[in-house]
Amino acid sequence: MRRLFCFIIFLFVVFSFPLPAQDDDSLTLLDDPDIYKIVEGIAFGDTTSEIADKLGVSRRTIENHLSHIYDKIGVKSKEALIACLSK
């Protein structure tokens, strides 16, 4: 049931969450397949290490991507991202 709820939140994010229009790059944030998979992992409650294992990259790479996502959306943590996505 929790995974279904997380998936619904993920779908909400992908299809209706407005990204800030600071520049053209922010409008295409979720067009990057890696960023999409990271946000999906966050929505499903995966840890940074679990996401890294799934994508076959280092934990630090995921943290760098998350930092980029946080900057674009205007949050400072994974918890704030989840709260923002669930609105």
Side-chain angles (χ1 to χ4, degrees), residues 27-79:
L27 298 175
T28 60
L29 182 64
L30 293 177
D31 288 344
D32 183 327
D34 290 336
I35 299 296
Y36 182 89
K37 290 176 186 175
I38 292 168
V39 172
E40 180 182 38
I42 297 297
F44 280 114
D46 295 341
T47 66
T48 306
S49 296
E50 290 170 337
I51 297 168
D53 289 343
K54 288 179 185 178
L55 295 179
V57 297
S58 73
R59 183 183 53 80
R60 185 68 188 139
T61 299
I62 299 301
E63 290 171 354
N64 288 336
H65 282 304
L66 282 173
S67 177
H68 177 71
I69 293 167
Y70 298 160
D71 289 344
K72 291 295 180 180
I73 295 178
V75 297
K76 296 183 187 263
S77 68
K78 195 184 300 186
E79 292 77 19

mmCIF file of all heavy atoms in Angstrom, residues 27-79:
data_model
loop_
_atom_site.group_PDB
_atom_site.id
_atom_site.type_symbol
_atom_site.label_atom_id
_atom_site.label_comp_id
_atom_site.label_asym_id
_atom_site.label_seq_id
_atom_site.Cartn_x
_atom_site.Cartn_y
_atom_site.Cartn_z
ATOM 1 N N LEU A 27 13.102 23.771 -17.035
ATOM 2 C CA LEU A 27 11.887 23.248 -17.639
ATOM 3 C C LEU A 27 12.059 21.813 -18.111
ATOM 4 O O LEU A 27 11.082 21.101 -18.300
ATOM 5 C CB LEU A 27 11.457 24.136 -18.810
ATOM 6 C CG LEU A 27 11.110 25.571 -18.442
ATOM 7 C CD1 LEU A 27 10.823 26.380 -19.711
ATOM 8 C CD2 LEU A 27 9.929 25.626 -17.499
ATOM 9 N N THR A 28 13.298 21.394 -18.302
ATOM 10 C CA THR A 28 13.554 20.049 -18.810
ATOM 11 C C THR A 28 14.194 19.157 -17.750
ATOM 12 O O THR A 28 14.792 18.151 -18.087
ATOM 13 C CB THR A 28 14.474 20.117 -20.044
ATOM 14 O OG1 THR A 28 15.702 20.733 -19.668
ATOM 15 C CG2 THR A 28 13.827 20.883 -21.172
ATOM 16 N N LEU A 29 14.038 19.510 -16.497
ATOM 17 C CA LEU A 29 14.676 18.772 -15.408
ATOM 18 C C LEU A 29 14.335 17.290 -15.444
ATOM 19 O O LEU A 29 15.208 16.442 -15.360
ATOM 20 C CB LEU A 29 14.285 19.372 -14.060
ATOM 21 C CG LEU A 29 14.898 18.743 -12.818
ATOM 22 C CD1 LEU A 29 16.412 18.932 -12.833
ATOM 23 C CD2 LEU A 29 14.319 19.367 -11.570
ATOM 24 N N LEU A 30 13.052 16.956 -15.584
ATOM 25 C CA LEU A 30 12.648 15.556 -15.566
ATOM 26 C C LEU A 30 12.778 14.877 -16.920
ATOM 27 O O LEU A 30 12.455 13.706 -17.052
ATOM 28 C CB LEU A 30 11.212 15.428 -15.031
ATOM 29 C CG LEU A 30 11.048 15.794 -13.559
ATOM 30 C CD1 LEU A 30 9.589 15.712 -13.154
ATOM 31 C CD2 LEU A 30 11.896 14.910 -12.665
ATOM 32 N N ASP A 31 13.242 15.598 -17.942
ATOM 33 C CA ASP A 31 13.482 14.972 -19.240
ATOM 34 C C ASP A 31 14.732 14.102 -19.219
ATOM 35 O O ASP A 31 14.879 13.202 -20.035
ATOM 36 C CB ASP A 31 13.627 16.027 -20.339
ATOM 37 C CG ASP A 31 12.303 16.680 -20.680
ATOM 38 O OD1 ASP A 31 11.254 16.121 -20.297
ATOM 39 O OD2 ASP A 31 12.323 17.735 -21.327
ATOM 40 N N ASP A 32 15.634 14.368 -18.290
ATOM 41 C CA ASP A 32 16.845 13.565 -18.144
ATOM 42 C C ASP A 32 16.464 12.237 -17.503
ATOM 43 O O ASP A 32 15.921 12.213 -16.400
ATOM 44 C CB ASP A 32 17.847 14.314 -17.265
ATOM 45 C CG ASP A 32 19.169 13.595 -17.102
ATOM 46 O OD1 ASP A 32 19.168 12.344 -17.093
ATOM 47 O OD2 ASP A 32 20.182 14.278 -16.974
ATOM 48 N N PRO A 33 16.727 11.098 -18.180
ATOM 49 C CA PRO A 33 16.307 9.800 -17.630
ATOM 50 C C PRO A 33 16.902 9.497 -16.255
ATOM 51 O O PRO A 33 16.234 8.886 -15.422
ATOM 52 C CB PRO A 33 16.785 8.784 -18.660
ATOM 53 C CG PRO A 33 17.288 9.538 -19.820
ATOM 54 C CD PRO A 33 17.374 10.984 -19.463
ATOM 55 N N ASP A 34 18.138 9.907 -16.016
ATOM 56 C CA ASP A 34 18.755 9.655 -14.716
ATOM 57 C C ASP A 34 18.062 10.460 -13.617
ATOM 58 O O ASP A 34 17.791 9.935 -12.534
ATOM 59 C CB ASP A 34 20.246 9.980 -14.736
ATOM 60 C CG ASP A 34 21.049 8.992 -15.562
ATOM 61 O OD1 ASP A 34 20.578 7.845 -15.726
ATOM 62 O OD2 ASP A 34 22.123 9.355 -16.043
ATOM 63 N N ILE A 35 17.777 11.721 -13.890
ATOM 64 C CA ILE A 35 17.085 12.565 -12.918
ATOM 65 C C ILE A 35 15.697 11.990 -12.649
ATOM 66 O O ILE A 35 15.255 11.917 -11.501
ATOM 67 C CB ILE A 35 16.986 14.027 -13.411
ATOM 68 C CG1 ILE A 35 18.367 14.627 -13.621
ATOM 69 C CG2 ILE A 35 16.156 14.868 -12.460
ATOM 70 C CD1 ILE A 35 19.212 14.767 -12.386
ATOM 71 N N TYR A 36 15.029 11.562 -13.691
ATOM 72 C CA TYR A 36 13.699 10.957 -13.560
ATOM 73 C C TYR A 36 13.758 9.735 -12.637
ATOM 74 O O TYR A 36 12.934 9.583 -11.744
ATOM 75 C CB TYR A 36 13.203 10.568 -14.951
ATOM 76 C CG TYR A 36 11.821 9.970 -14.994
ATOM 77 C CD1 TYR A 36 10.708 10.782 -15.139
ATOM 78 C CD2 TYR A 36 11.627 8.599 -14.906
ATOM 79 C CE1 TYR A 36 9.435 10.249 -15.195
ATOM 80 C CE2 TYR A 36 10.363 8.054 -14.956
ATOM 81 C CZ TYR A 36 9.275 8.883 -15.105
ATOM 82 O OH TYR A 36 8.019 8.342 -15.151
ATOM 83 N N LYS A 37 14.758 8.883 -12.842
ATOM 84 C CA LYS A 37 14.892 7.674 -12.013
ATOM 85 C C LYS A 37 15.233 8.020 -10.573
ATOM 86 O O LYS A 37 14.794 7.333 -9.641
ATOM 87 C CB LYS A 37 15.937 6.742 -12.606
ATOM 88 C CG LYS A 37 15.484 6.096 -13.896
ATOM 89 C CD LYS A 37 16.575 5.260 -14.519
ATOM 90 C CE LYS A 37 16.144 4.734 -15.876
ATOM 91 N NZ LYS A 37 17.229 4.015 -16.548
ATOM 92 N N ILE A 38 16.014 9.071 -10.374
ATOM 93 C CA ILE A 38 16.353 9.491 -9.015
ATOM 94 C C ILE A 38 15.110 10.006 -8.300
ATOM 95 O O ILE A 38 14.833 9.611 -7.158
ATOM 96 C CB ILE A 38 17.471 10.558 -9.034
ATOM 97 C CG1 ILE A 38 18.780 9.919 -9.506
ATOM 98 C CG2 ILE A 38 17.637 11.201 -7.662
ATOM 99 C CD1 ILE A 38 19.869 10.918 -9.826
ATOM 100 N N VAL A 39 14.333 10.852 -8.962
ATOM 101 C CA VAL A 39 13.104 11.368 -8.355
ATOM 102 C C VAL A 39 12.137 10.220 -8.093
ATOM 103 O O VAL A 39 11.472 10.176 -7.050
ATOM 104 C CB VAL A 39 12.465 12.462 -9.244
ATOM 105 C CG1 VAL A 39 11.097 12.863 -8.730
ATOM 106 C CG2 VAL A 39 13.373 13.682 -9.311
ATOM 107 N N GLU A 40 12.083 9.270 -9.013
ATOM 108 C CA GLU A 40 11.234 8.094 -8.814
ATOM 109 C C GLU A 40 11.675 7.328 -7.567
ATOM 110 O O GLU A 40 10.847 6.927 -6.754
ATOM 111 C CB GLU A 40 11.305 7.179 -10.038
ATOM 112 C CG GLU A 40 10.472 5.933 -9.926
ATOM 113 C CD GLU A 40 10.619 5.033 -11.129
ATOM 114 O OE1 GLU A 40 11.736 4.909 -11.665
ATOM 115 O OE2 GLU A 40 9.604 4.451 -11.532
ATOM 116 N N GLY A 41 12.979 7.122 -7.411
ATOM 117 C CA GLY A 41 13.508 6.431 -6.238
ATOM 118 C C GLY A 41 13.167 7.161 -4.954
ATOM 119 O O GLY A 41 12.762 6.542 -3.967
ATOM 120 N N ILE A 42 13.298 8.480 -4.967
ATOM 121 C CA ILE A 42 12.953 9.285 -3.801
ATOM 122 C C ILE A 42 11.467 9.117 -3.483
ATOM 123 O O ILE A 42 11.074 8.920 -2.332
ATOM 124 C CB ILE A 42 13.281 10.776 -4.028
ATOM 125 C CG1 ILE A 42 14.777 10.981 -4.225
ATOM 126 C CG2 ILE A 42 12.748 11.639 -2.893
ATOM 127 C CD1 ILE A 42 15.635 10.618 -3.060
ATOM 128 N N ALA A 43 10.634 9.165 -4.527
ATOM 129 C CA ALA A 43 9.185 9.027 -4.323
ATOM 130 C C ALA A 43 8.833 7.663 -3.730
ATOM 131 O O ALA A 43 7.894 7.548 -2.947
ATOM 132 C CB ALA A 43 8.448 9.234 -5.647
ATOM 133 N N PHE A 44 9.603 6.631 -4.084
ATOM 134 C CA PHE A 44 9.348 5.290 -3.562
ATOM 135 C C PHE A 44 10.011 5.051 -2.215
ATOM 136 O O PHE A 44 9.900 3.980 -1.645
ATOM 137 C CB PHE A 44 9.796 4.221 -4.550
ATOM 138 C CG PHE A 44 8.827 3.986 -5.661
ATOM 139 C CD1 PHE A 44 9.172 4.290 -6.960
ATOM 140 C CD2 PHE A 44 7.573 3.471 -5.415
ATOM 141 C CE1 PHE A 44 8.281 4.078 -8.001
ATOM 142 C CE2 PHE A 44 6.672 3.255 -6.440
ATOM 143 C CZ PHE A 44 7.027 3.564 -7.739
ATOM 144 N N GLY A 45 10.740 6.055 -1.717
ATOM 145 C CA GLY A 45 11.356 5.935 -0.402
ATOM 146 C C GLY A 45 12.703 5.237 -0.395
ATOM 147 O O GLY A 45 13.181 4.828 0.666
ATOM 148 N N ASP A 46 13.334 5.103 -1.552
ATOM 149 C CA ASP A 46 14.651 4.471 -1.620
ATOM 150 C C ASP A 46 15.716 5.385 -1.019
ATOM 151 O O ASP A 46 15.609 6.610 -1.091
ATOM 152 C CB ASP A 46 15.036 4.155 -3.065
ATOM 153 C CG ASP A 46 14.143 3.118 -3.707
ATOM 154 O OD1 ASP A 46 13.461 2.377 -2.967
ATOM 155 O OD2 ASP A 46 14.127 3.040 -4.942
ATOM 156 N N THR A 47 16.743 4.796 -0.457
ATOM 157 C CA THR A 47 17.867 5.570 0.056
ATOM 158 C C THR A 47 18.778 5.961 -1.108
ATOM 159 O O THR A 47 18.673 5.414 -2.211
ATOM 160 C CB THR A 47 18.697 4.769 1.076
ATOM 161 O OG1 THR A 47 19.307 3.665 0.397
ATOM 162 C CG2 THR A 47 17.840 4.275 2.231
ATOM 163 N N THR A 48 19.687 6.887 -0.842
ATOM 164 C CA THR A 48 20.644 7.308 -1.858
ATOM 165 C C THR A 48 21.469 6.120 -2.343
ATOM 166 O O THR A 48 21.704 5.969 -3.540
ATOM 167 C CB THR A 48 21.560 8.405 -1.283
ATOM 168 O OG1 THR A 48 20.749 9.464 -0.764
ATOM 169 C CG2 THR A 48 22.492 8.956 -2.328
ATOM 170 N N SER A 49 21.882 5.260 -1.429
ATOM 171 C CA SER A 49 22.675 4.084 -1.794
ATOM 172 C C SER A 49 21.867 3.120 -2.649
ATOM 173 O O SER A 49 22.399 2.538 -3.606
ATOM 174 C CB SER A 49 23.183 3.368 -0.549
ATOM 175 O OG SER A 49 24.062 4.202 0.158
ATOM 176 N N GLU A 50 20.589 2.926 -2.320
ATOM 177 C CA GLU A 50 19.742 2.031 -3.113
ATOM 178 C C GLU A 50 19.557 2.560 -4.533
ATOM 179 O O GLU A 50 19.608 1.803 -5.501
ATOM 180 C CB GLU A 50 18.382 1.850 -2.439
ATOM 181 C CG GLU A 50 18.440 1.039 -1.165
ATOM 182 C CD GLU A 50 17.141 1.071 -0.378
ATOM 183 O OE1 GLU A 50 16.335 2.007 -0.530
ATOM 184 O OE2 GLU A 50 16.949 0.127 0.423
ATOM 185 N N ILE A 51 19.356 3.864 -4.660
ATOM 186 C CA ILE A 51 19.212 4.472 -5.980
ATOM 187 C C ILE A 51 20.510 4.310 -6.762
ATOM 188 O O ILE A 51 20.492 3.965 -7.948
ATOM 189 C CB ILE A 51 18.811 5.959 -5.865
ATOM 190 C CG1 ILE A 51 17.439 6.091 -5.202
ATOM 191 C CG2 ILE A 51 18.812 6.633 -7.226
ATOM 192 C CD1 ILE A 51 17.088 7.504 -4.792
ATOM 193 N N ALA A 52 21.642 4.547 -6.100
ATOM 194 C CA ALA A 52 22.943 4.403 -6.757
ATOM 195 C C ALA A 52 23.149 2.973 -7.253
ATOM 196 O O ALA A 52 23.620 2.764 -8.378
ATOM 197 C CB ALA A 52 24.060 4.802 -5.796
ATOM 198 N N ASP A 53 22.798 1.988 -6.429
ATOM 199 C CA ASP A 53 22.933 0.589 -6.839
ATOM 200 C C ASP A 53 22.073 0.280 -8.055
ATOM 201 O O ASP A 53 22.510 -0.410 -8.980
ATOM 202 C CB ASP A 53 22.559 -0.353 -5.691
ATOM 203 C CG ASP A 53 23.587 -0.350 -4.566
ATOM 204 O OD1 ASP A 53 24.725 0.117 -4.801
ATOM 205 O OD2 ASP A 53 23.235 -0.792 -3.457
ATOM 206 N N LYS A 54 20.844 0.788 -8.074
ATOM 207 C CA LYS A 54 19.936 0.544 -9.193
ATOM 208 C C LYS A 54 20.449 1.148 -10.490
ATOM 209 O O LYS A 54 20.271 0.579 -11.564
ATOM 210 C CB LYS A 54 18.541 1.093 -8.890
ATOM 211 C CG LYS A 54 17.782 0.293 -7.862
ATOM 212 C CD LYS A 54 16.427 0.910 -7.589
ATOM 213 C CE LYS A 54 15.722 0.174 -6.465
ATOM 214 N NZ LYS A 54 14.419 0.796 -6.143
ATOM 215 N N LEU A 55 21.074 2.335 -10.377
ATOM 216 C CA LEU A 55 21.568 3.015 -11.573
ATOM 217 C C LEU A 55 23.000 2.639 -11.929
ATOM 218 O O LEU A 55 23.493 3.022 -12.989
ATOM 219 C CB LEU A 55 21.469 4.536 -11.392
ATOM 220 C CG LEU A 55 20.059 5.103 -11.264
ATOM 221 C CD1 LEU A 55 20.110 6.613 -11.058
ATOM 222 C CD2 LEU A 55 19.237 4.778 -12.495
ATOM 223 N N GLY A 56 23.666 1.918 -11.030
ATOM 224 C CA GLY A 56 25.042 1.498 -11.296
ATOM 225 C C GLY A 56 26.050 2.632 -11.231
ATOM 226 O O GLY A 56 27.029 2.648 -11.976
ATOM 227 N N VAL A 57 25.789 3.590 -10.346
ATOM 228 C CA VAL A 57 26.705 4.712 -10.153
ATOM 229 C C VAL A 57 27.030 4.829 -8.670
ATOM 230 O O VAL A 57 26.466 4.111 -7.850
ATOM 231 C CB VAL A 57 26.102 6.042 -10.674
ATOM 232 C CG1 VAL A 57 25.864 5.983 -12.178
ATOM 233 C CG2 VAL A 57 24.820 6.385 -9.956
ATOM 234 N N SER A 58 27.920 5.751 -8.346
ATOM 235 C CA SER A 58 28.282 5.916 -6.940
ATOM 236 C C SER A 58 27.225 6.716 -6.185
ATOM 237 O O SER A 58 26.432 7.458 -6.781
ATOM 238 C CB SER A 58 29.634 6.631 -6.821
ATOM 239 O OG SER A 58 29.502 7.997 -7.149
ATOM 240 N N ARG A 59 27.246 6.553 -4.879
ATOM 241 C CA ARG A 59 26.344 7.310 -4.005
ATOM 242 C C ARG A 59 26.594 8.807 -4.173
ATOM 243 O O ARG A 59 25.666 9.614 -4.177
ATOM 244 C CB ARG A 59 26.555 6.877 -2.553
ATOM 245 C CG ARG A 59 25.628 7.544 -1.563
ATOM 246 C CD ARG A 59 25.927 7.124 -0.133
ATOM 247 N NE ARG A 59 27.316 7.307 0.260
ATOM 248 C CZ ARG A 59 27.843 8.485 0.636
ATOM 249 N NH1 ARG A 59 27.103 9.550 0.694
ATOM 250 N NH2 ARG A 59 29.117 8.559 0.974
ATOM 251 N N ARG A 60 27.844 9.176 -4.331
ATOM 252 C CA ARG A 60 28.213 10.594 -4.485
ATOM 253 C C ARG A 60 27.608 11.186 -5.767
ATOM 254 O O ARG A 60 27.189 12.344 -5.789
ATOM 255 C CB ARG A 60 29.736 10.746 -4.485
ATOM 256 C CG ARG A 60 30.182 12.164 -4.526
ATOM 257 C CD ARG A 60 29.834 12.876 -3.229
ATOM 258 N NE ARG A 60 30.114 14.282 -3.391
ATOM 259 C CZ ARG A 60 29.351 15.263 -2.952
ATOM 260 N NH1 ARG A 60 28.273 15.006 -2.266
ATOM 261 N NH2 ARG A 60 29.672 16.494 -3.161
ATOM 262 N N THR A 61 27.535 10.405 -6.830
ATOM 263 C CA THR A 61 26.913 10.866 -8.069
ATOM 264 C C THR A 61 25.444 11.179 -7.839
ATOM 265 O O THR A 61 24.932 12.213 -8.297
ATOM 266 C CB THR A 61 27.067 9.806 -9.181
ATOM 267 O OG1 THR A 61 28.456 9.594 -9.425
ATOM 268 C CG2 THR A 61 26.373 10.237 -10.461
ATOM 269 N N ILE A 62 24.768 10.306 -7.109
ATOM 270 C CA ILE A 62 23.355 10.533 -6.795
ATOM 271 C C ILE A 62 23.213 11.788 -5.940
ATOM 272 O O ILE A 62 22.314 12.603 -6.162
ATOM 273 C CB ILE A 62 22.733 9.311 -6.087
ATOM 274 C CG1 ILE A 62 22.805 8.081 -6.989
ATOM 275 C CG2 ILE A 62 21.304 9.599 -5.649
ATOM 276 C CD1 ILE A 62 22.102 8.218 -8.314
ATOM 277 N N GLU A 63 24.095 11.966 -4.977
ATOM 278 C CA GLU A 63 24.046 13.162 -4.130
ATOM 279 C C GLU A 63 24.245 14.431 -4.965
ATOM 280 O O GLU A 63 23.590 15.445 -4.716
ATOM 281 C CB GLU A 63 25.083 13.064 -3.021
ATOM 282 C CG GLU A 63 24.732 12.018 -1.982
ATOM 283 C CD GLU A 63 25.837 11.743 -0.981
ATOM 284 O OE1 GLU A 63 26.960 12.289 -1.145
ATOM 285 O OE2 GLU A 63 25.588 10.978 -0.039
ATOM 286 N N ASN A 64 25.138 14.371 -5.952
ATOM 287 C CA ASN A 64 25.342 15.522 -6.843
ATOM 288 C C ASN A 64 24.086 15.817 -7.651
ATOM 289 O O ASN A 64 23.692 16.977 -7.809
ATOM 290 C CB ASN A 64 26.526 15.292 -7.778
ATOM 291 C CG ASN A 64 27.851 15.374 -7.072
ATOM 292 O OD1 ASN A 64 27.980 15.997 -6.027
ATOM 293 N ND2 ASN A 64 28.858 14.727 -7.637
ATOM 294 N N HIS A 65 23.460 14.768 -8.186
ATOM 295 C CA HIS A 65 22.214 14.947 -8.929
ATOM 296 C C HIS A 65 21.132 15.528 -8.021
ATOM 297 O O HIS A 65 20.384 16.421 -8.429
ATOM 298 C CB HIS A 65 21.730 13.620 -9.525
ATOM 299 C CG HIS A 65 22.450 13.206 -10.763
ATOM 300 N ND1 HIS A 65 22.536 13.989 -11.886
ATOM 301 C CD2 HIS A 65 23.109 12.058 -11.062
ATOM 302 C CE1 HIS A 65 23.214 13.353 -12.825
ATOM 303 N NE2 HIS A 65 23.573 12.177 -12.341
ATOM 304 N N LEU A 66 21.038 15.013 -6.788
ATOM 305 C CA LEU A 66 20.035 15.517 -5.848
ATOM 306 C C LEU A 66 20.273 17.000 -5.550
ATOM 307 O O LEU A 66 19.316 17.779 -5.462
ATOM 308 C CB LEU A 66 20.039 14.707 -4.556
ATOM 309 C CG LEU A 66 19.333 13.360 -4.625
ATOM 310 C CD1 LEU A 66 19.557 12.570 -3.335
ATOM 311 C CD2 LEU A 66 17.851 13.533 -4.880
ATOM 312 N N SER A 67 21.526 17.380 -5.407
ATOM 313 C CA SER A 67 21.852 18.783 -5.162
ATOM 314 C C SER A 67 21.344 19.654 -6.312
ATOM 315 O O SER A 67 20.775 20.727 -6.093
ATOM 316 C CB SER A 67 23.359 18.944 -4.989
ATOM 317 O OG SER A 67 23.697 20.288 -4.823
ATOM 318 N N HIS A 68 21.518 19.173 -7.537
ATOM 319 C CA HIS A 68 21.042 19.880 -8.725
ATOM 320 C C HIS A 68 19.514 19.989 -8.699
ATOM 321 O O HIS A 68 18.945 21.045 -8.978
ATOM 322 C CB HIS A 68 21.515 19.145 -9.976
ATOM 323 C CG HIS A 68 21.042 19.727 -11.254
ATOM 324 N ND1 HIS A 68 21.503 20.920 -11.750
ATOM 325 C CD2 HIS A 68 20.129 19.272 -12.141
ATOM 326 C CE1 HIS A 68 20.899 21.175 -12.893
ATOM 327 N NE2 HIS A 68 20.053 20.186 -13.154
ATOM 328 N N ILE A 69 18.845 18.892 -8.345
ATOM 329 C CA ILE A 69 17.384 18.879 -8.259
ATOM 330 C C ILE A 69 16.915 19.868 -7.201
ATOM 331 O O ILE A 69 15.988 20.655 -7.426
ATOM 332 C CB ILE A 69 16.864 17.458 -7.949
ATOM 333 C CG1 ILE A 69 17.145 16.526 -9.128
ATOM 334 C CG2 ILE A 69 15.378 17.486 -7.627
ATOM 335 C CD1 ILE A 69 16.960 15.049 -8.799
ATOM 336 N N TYR A 70 17.562 19.837 -6.024
ATOM 337 C CA TYR A 70 17.191 20.745 -4.936
ATOM 338 C C TYR A 70 17.295 22.204 -5.388
ATOM 339 O O TYR A 70 16.420 23.012 -5.109
ATOM 340 C CB TYR A 70 18.081 20.557 -3.712
ATOM 341 C CG TYR A 70 18.038 19.197 -3.068
ATOM 342 C CD1 TYR A 70 19.074 18.793 -2.235
ATOM 343 C CD2 TYR A 70 16.989 18.306 -3.267
ATOM 344 C CE1 TYR A 70 19.056 17.554 -1.615
ATOM 345 C CE2 TYR A 70 16.967 17.063 -2.663
ATOM 346 C CZ TYR A 70 17.998 16.691 -1.837
ATOM 347 O OH TYR A 70 17.993 15.468 -1.231
ATOM 348 N N ASP A 71 18.384 22.531 -6.086
ATOM 349 C CA ASP A 71 18.585 23.899 -6.556
ATOM 350 C C ASP A 71 17.486 24.314 -7.527
ATOM 351 O O ASP A 71 16.976 25.429 -7.457
ATOM 352 C CB ASP A 71 19.944 24.050 -7.241
ATOM 353 C CG ASP A 71 21.106 23.991 -6.270
ATOM 354 O OD1 ASP A 71 20.885 24.143 -5.048
ATOM 355 O OD2 ASP A 71 22.245 23.776 -6.737
ATOM 356 N N LYS A 72 17.127 23.418 -8.420
ATOM 357 C CA LYS A 72 16.112 23.747 -9.424
ATOM 358 C C LYS A 72 14.726 23.899 -8.822
ATOM 359 O O LYS A 72 13.946 24.736 -9.253
ATOM 360 C CB LYS A 72 16.070 22.671 -10.523
ATOM 361 C CG LYS A 72 17.294 22.653 -11.394
ATOM 362 C CD LYS A 72 17.388 23.938 -12.177
ATOM 363 C CE LYS A 72 18.610 23.935 -13.059
ATOM 364 N NZ LYS A 72 18.736 25.160 -13.829
ATOM 365 N N ILE A 73 14.400 23.069 -7.834
ATOM 366 C CA ILE A 73 13.071 23.102 -7.240
ATOM 367 C C ILE A 73 13.010 24.089 -6.074
ATOM 368 O O ILE A 73 11.955 24.590 -5.733
ATOM 369 C CB ILE A 73 12.634 21.683 -6.814
ATOM 370 C CG1 ILE A 73 12.492 20.820 -8.066
ATOM 371 C CG2 ILE A 73 11.335 21.696 -6.041
ATOM 372 C CD1 ILE A 73 12.116 19.394 -7.809
ATOM 373 N N GLY A 74 14.162 24.370 -5.473
ATOM 374 C CA GLY A 74 14.198 25.342 -4.382
ATOM 375 C C GLY A 74 14.031 24.731 -3.002
ATOM 376 O O GLY A 74 13.435 25.349 -2.121
ATOM 377 N N VAL A 75 14.540 23.499 -2.819
ATOM 378 C CA VAL A 75 14.510 22.857 -1.505
ATOM 379 C C VAL A 75 15.939 22.557 -1.080
ATOM 380 O O VAL A 75 16.867 22.693 -1.872
ATOM 381 C CB VAL A 75 13.640 21.564 -1.521
ATOM 382 C CG1 VAL A 75 12.199 21.899 -1.850
ATOM 383 C CG2 VAL A 75 14.184 20.535 -2.483
ATOM 384 N N LYS A 76 16.117 22.116 0.177
ATOM 385 C CA LYS A 76 17.469 21.887 0.685
ATOM 386 C C LYS A 76 17.728 20.472 1.175
ATOM 387 O O LYS A 76 18.837 20.165 1.583
ATOM 388 C CB LYS A 76 17.764 22.864 1.821
ATOM 389 C CG LYS A 76 17.762 24.301 1.366
ATOM 390 C CD LYS A 76 18.124 25.226 2.495
ATOM 391 C CE LYS A 76 17.961 26.650 2.092
ATOM 392 N NZ LYS A 76 19.136 27.311 1.653
ATOM 393 N N SER A 77 16.709 19.586 1.150
ATOM 394 C CA SER A 77 16.919 18.233 1.642
ATOM 395 C C SER A 77 15.951 17.270 0.967
ATOM 396 O O SER A 77 14.966 17.683 0.345
ATOM 397 C CB SER A 77 16.714 18.177 3.157
ATOM 398 O OG SER A 77 15.353 18.397 3.461
ATOM 399 N N LYS A 78 16.244 15.984 1.131
ATOM 400 C CA LYS A 78 15.374 14.943 0.596
ATOM 401 C C LYS A 78 13.990 15.018 1.241
ATOM 402 O O LYS A 78 12.972 14.854 0.569
ATOM 403 C CB LYS A 78 16.006 13.570 0.845
ATOM 404 C CG LYS A 78 15.387 12.454 0.037
ATOM 405 C CD LYS A 78 15.962 11.093 0.370
ATOM 406 C CE LYS A 78 17.432 10.970 0.126
ATOM 407 N NZ LYS A 78 17.936 9.607 0.331
ATOM 408 N N GLU A 79 13.959 15.300 2.534
ATOM 409 C CA GLU A 79 12.695 15.410 3.245
ATOM 410 C C GLU A 79 11.867 16.572 2.710
ATOM 411 O O GLU A 79 10.649 16.464 2.532
ATOM 412 C CB GLU A 79 12.926 15.571 4.754
ATOM 413 C CG GLU A 79 13.505 14.341 5.430
ATOM 414 C CD GLU A 79 15.001 14.153 5.183
ATOM 415 O OE1 GLU A 79 15.699 15.121 4.788
ATOM 416 O OE2 GLU A 79 15.475 13.027 5.375
#
